Amino acid sequence: MKTLRTQVLIVGAGPSGLLLGQLLHKAGVANLILERQTGDYVLGRIRAGVLEQTCVDLLDEAGVGVRMHAEGLVHDGFELMFDGQRHRIDLKQLTGGKTVTVYGQTEVTHDLMDARAASGQQTLYSAADVELFGFDGDRPGARCTVDGERLEIHCDFIAGCDGYHGVSRASVPADAIQSYEKVYPFGWLGLLSDTPPVSHELIYGRHERGFTLCSMRSHTRSRYYLQVPLTEQVGDWSDERFWDELRLRVDARAAAALVTGPSLEKSIAPLRSFVAEPMRFGRLFLAGDAAHIVPPTGAKGLNLAASDVYYLWQALSEHYRERSEAGIEHYSARCLSRIWKAERFSWWFTTLMHNLSNEPAIDAKLHRSELDYLVSSDSAKATMAENYVGLPW
Ligand code: RFL
Ligand code: PHB
């Protein structure tokens, strides 16, 4: 068996793992990333689209912001659509100047992978059978198989950035971790197409046929989502059926402006709220989707991953620079305080905007009334905007 040694072993080359690796590299901390899939597979996943300002700032700090600033779209607001009307939430005005940036997760990952290649830090793709050991003591590490060869990696710390289905959270003894979970009885059917977006800002729509989101990746690439029952199969949704259904759920102006075209990608994502506590187990830290999931309404998932990475980068840099354990001790509590607020916001926005099929008639009326209140009250709009642009770190 071949043996390797690094300071921080990062499991997972999604945005959390790659961003942490880059920030640690810049802080002079050696790190090695183990990823189960190939790089092309990781880049093929179409996911998040909206970055909070703090996430943009952290990507700049990591030195990967050039293309994001050149190609990303800065949005000052978004629209809520219900009963055939649209109502604008002016993020910039309601938050004293804050905005969000529309730049796809695929592009963020691409930029981070390029920076990783230039950094000279090691990344092992297609790493099979990853097993973690020793994180409850002071000699943690992992074993895995890469290209048919068995490897043992020794390290000071392990960062579990391996998503919801990863090995890191699963390696923690069941009695040391508590999970909170809510699975929603519907999913999002997403479609990506090289067509101009229906509007220059995002539109979140509530409709009796189900929720709709009109989003984008650029001025020429659109991303649309439809709420569908969990029983739906993506194969039953031809592009034509998708466009027809979308047209039924948007207002007349959007229906008239909608440009359709062949899909580049179509998939169904289930919706879930999930938090695992705590997020540190001795020398193992969980970060990003490995520790928490939000439903995508409100675009918080990638942004939360970035705030975990920020706290972890600070904690580990302090450890190596000043021999201070304070950041390590406080990592879990710092992350969870922000995570629960984003969980609350994402759950609230999801229940407000979706068609909950078995909802009592009075609840539907109450949601409708809440939407009326939201778009007519400056303080309600300010609360929405404050959460949407992202709470401070
Ligand atoms: P990821 O992206 O899941 O990456 C984890 C990586 O770990 C690897 N892995 C392993 N590697 C080694 N050994 C193992 N045993 C392993 N098991 C797993 C995986 O292959 C993978 O490469 O987690 P990470 O890095 O924490 O990033 C989280 C984000 O991907 C996620 O929160 C967002 O995509 C959520 N999300 C959104 N977030 C936003 O902030 N804004 C949005 O607009 C937004 N829209 C979305 C979204 C997620 C969606 N889906 C499909 C879940 C829209 C959708 C539809
Ligand atoms: C996306 O463009 O993929 C997107 C945008 C906003 C969300 C969720 C997803 O709330």
Side-chain angles (χ1 to χ4, degrees):
M1 177 150 18
K2 185 166 150 191
T3 306
L4 300 172
R5 158 94 210 150
T6 188
Q7 288 178 300
V8 180
L9 172 65
I10 300 173
V11 189
S16 305
L18 288 167
L19 180 57
L20 179 65
Q22 191 59 17
L23 289 164
L24 288 176
H25 166 70
K26 293 200 81 178
V29 179
N31 60 90
L32 184 154
I33 300 184
L34 279 183
E35 165 60 51
R36 182 167 56 184
Q37 306 288 353
T38 63
D40 284 347
Y41 180 94
V42 173
L43 281 173
R45 291 187 298 226
I46 309 294
R47 288 183 167 184
V50 179
L51 308 179
E52 295 171 358
Q53 187 59 48
T54 41
C55 180
V56 167
D57 294 344
L58 193 62
L59 290 165
D60 277 335
E61 177 80 40
V64 294
V66 175
R67 204 163 63 95
M68 169 180 66
H69 289 294
E71 296 176 17
L73 307 174
V74 175
H75 281 199
D76 296 352
F78 67 87
E79 288 183 300
L80 290 171
M81 175 174 65
F82 55 96
D83 292 346
Q85 303 283 323
R86 287 196 233 161
H87 307 263
R88 187 159 188 268
I89 303 292
D90 188 332
L91 297 171
K92 195 167 187 178
Q93 185 240 319
L94 290 159
T95 60
K98 292 191 182 148
T99 56
V100 292
T101 298
V102 172
Y103 189 63
Q105 178 167 332
T106 316
E107 306 312 317
V108 172
T109 310
H110 218 294
D111 297 343
L112 284 164
M113 282 183 175
D114 287 351
R116 178 100 193 147
S119 77
Q121 304 278 347
Q122 204 170 7
T123 313
L124 299 176
Y125 284 100
S126 306
D129 308 324
V130 175
E131 277 169 59
L132 309 185
F133 61 82
F135 52 82
D136 50 348
D138 52 10
R139 306 190 66 184
R143 289 183 203 95
C144 63
T145 306
V146 178
D147 291 335
E149 186 179 29
R150 227 26 216 156
L151 299 179
E152 185 162 290
I153 303 153
H154 297 270
C155 58
D156 301 334
F157 298 100
I158 304 173
C161 300
D162 48 352
Y164 181 71
H165 300 286
V167 68
S168 300
R169 194 180 70 253
S171 306
V172 174
D175 59 359
I177 191 164
Q178 168 123 36
S179 302
Y180 301 87
E181 182 163 42
K182 181 181 177 70
V183 179
Y184 299 83
F186 43 78
W188 280 17
L189 169 63
L191 180 147
L192 186 73
S193 63
D194 272 335
T195 53
V198 71
S199 171
H200 68 289
E201 291 182 338
L202 270 63
I203 308 172
Y204 291 85
R206 183 180 162 108
H207 191 277
E208 63 196 15
R209 297 182 69 87
F211 167 81
T212 297
L213 171 60
C214 305
S215 181
M216 66 192 75
R217 291 291 175 271
S218 69
H219 293 306
T220 55
R221 183 168 283 192
S222 301
R223 180 72 166 160
Y224 294 102
Y225 294 98
L226 296 174
Q227 174 187 354
V228 293
L230 273 181
T231 46
E232 286 297 308
Q233 302 291 321
V234 71
D236 293 335
W237 284 83
S238 63
D239 292 354
E240 210 178 354
R241 181 176 173 206
F242 186 99
W243 295 121
D244 288 346
E245 183 62 32
L246 180 65
R247 229 179 261 111
L248 291 174
R249 296 189 193 186
V250 294
D251 64 317
R253 186 157 50 105
L258 183 66
V259 180
T260 64
S263 61
L264 303 173
E265 192 263 3
K266 234 179 335 194
S267 53
I268 297 181
L271 269 66
R272 183 191 306 274
S273 296
F274 172 85
V275 183
E277 295 186 339
M279 287 170 59
R280 177 173 79 93
F281 308 87
R283 287 172 173 262
L284 168 66
F285 302 86
L286 302 181
D289 279 17
H292 43 78
I293 299 285
V294 285
T297 335
K300 291 288 161 240
L302 176 58
N303 292 298
L304 273 185
S307 60
D308 293 353
V309 165
Y310 172 79
Y311 294 127
L312 189 50
W313 162 58
Q314 297 267 300
L316 293 172
S317 311
E318 257 170 54
H319 167 86
Y320 286 108
R321 202 177 51 231
E322 298 157 24
R323 293 276 135 207
S324 159
E325 303 305 300
I328 290 178
E329 295 295 334
H330 294 123
Y331 170 73
S332 180
R334 273 188 187 146
C335 292
L336 285 164
S337 158
R338 192 167 190 278
I339 288 161
W340 277 112
K341 292 182 193 112
E343 289 281 348
R344 183 209 66 81
F345 174 69
S346 308
W347 156 80
W348 168 78
F349 198 20
T350 299
T351 30
L352 185 64
M353 298 305 293
H354 286 74
N355 187 349
L356 311 172
S357 47
N358 52 2
E359 168 178 62
I362 186 168
D363 288 16
K365 283 287 206 183
L366 291 169
H367 279 138
R368 178 62 188 47
S369 160
E370 186 166 3
L371 274 171
D372 265 346
Y373 169 65
L374 178 59
V375 298
S376 61
S377 155
D378 283 344
S379 46
K381 275 193 277 194
T383 299
M384 164 111 220
E386 180 187 33
N387 282 278
Y388 194 87
V389 299
L391 297 174
W393 288 2

